[in-house]
Amino acid sequence: MGMSVIISAAGTQDAEQILKLQYLSFQSEAELYGNYRIDPLVQTLDSLRAEIATDLVFVARLGEEVVGTVRGSADQGGIGLIGRLCVHPRLQGHGLGARLLSAAESGLADQRSATRFQLHTGHLSESNLRLYRRAGYAPVGNATGQDGVRMILLEKEASAAAYVTSA
């Protein structure tokens, strides 16, 4: 009998596992852009702990192992900012990213009163763009990240219906 993946709020005890997962998961993005200094690969454990203390951070667990994560915060204008969505490479393509995204959206709407969601991804990251489009996000602009990667900015209204996955 297989184990189910459970999504829950992260605690500071999860910081090391999250950082290791983030490093592993963003290797393919770094390769895609030829840039191994992208923000998720240079984040420190202390800065991640600070995010866990102040932001909404969710993890997906398979038993005791953290196999996915996403973060959310809200700005003064009620925009929920979602970032660092990642899933362990061996579990990608099974709907876990969509479940994590939905958890971040729900948490931001319920706990931070977000009325709109915003996220970004690299312009070459087709699988990420497909996920976000299926979840109801639309491109609203471009920007260049501090790491030099051209990003596509996407948004959706908090009330916008997204697809439901059973994964």
Side-chain angles (χ1 to χ4, degrees), residues 26-36 38 121-129 149:
F26 279 92
Q27 290 296 314
S28 59
E29 292 292 299
E31 184 176 339
L32 183 63
Y33 295 98
N35 181 351
Y36 287 86
I38 60 174
T121 192
H123 71 289
L124 300 175
S125 303
E126 285 302 319
S127 62
N128 297 349
L129 289 166
V149 174

Side-chain angles (χ1 to χ4, degrees), residues 56 58 101-111 117:
L56 298 179
F58 294 94
L101 183 58
S102 179
E105 291 172 352
S106 294
L108 287 166
D110 295 346
Q111 299 175 40
F117 303 120

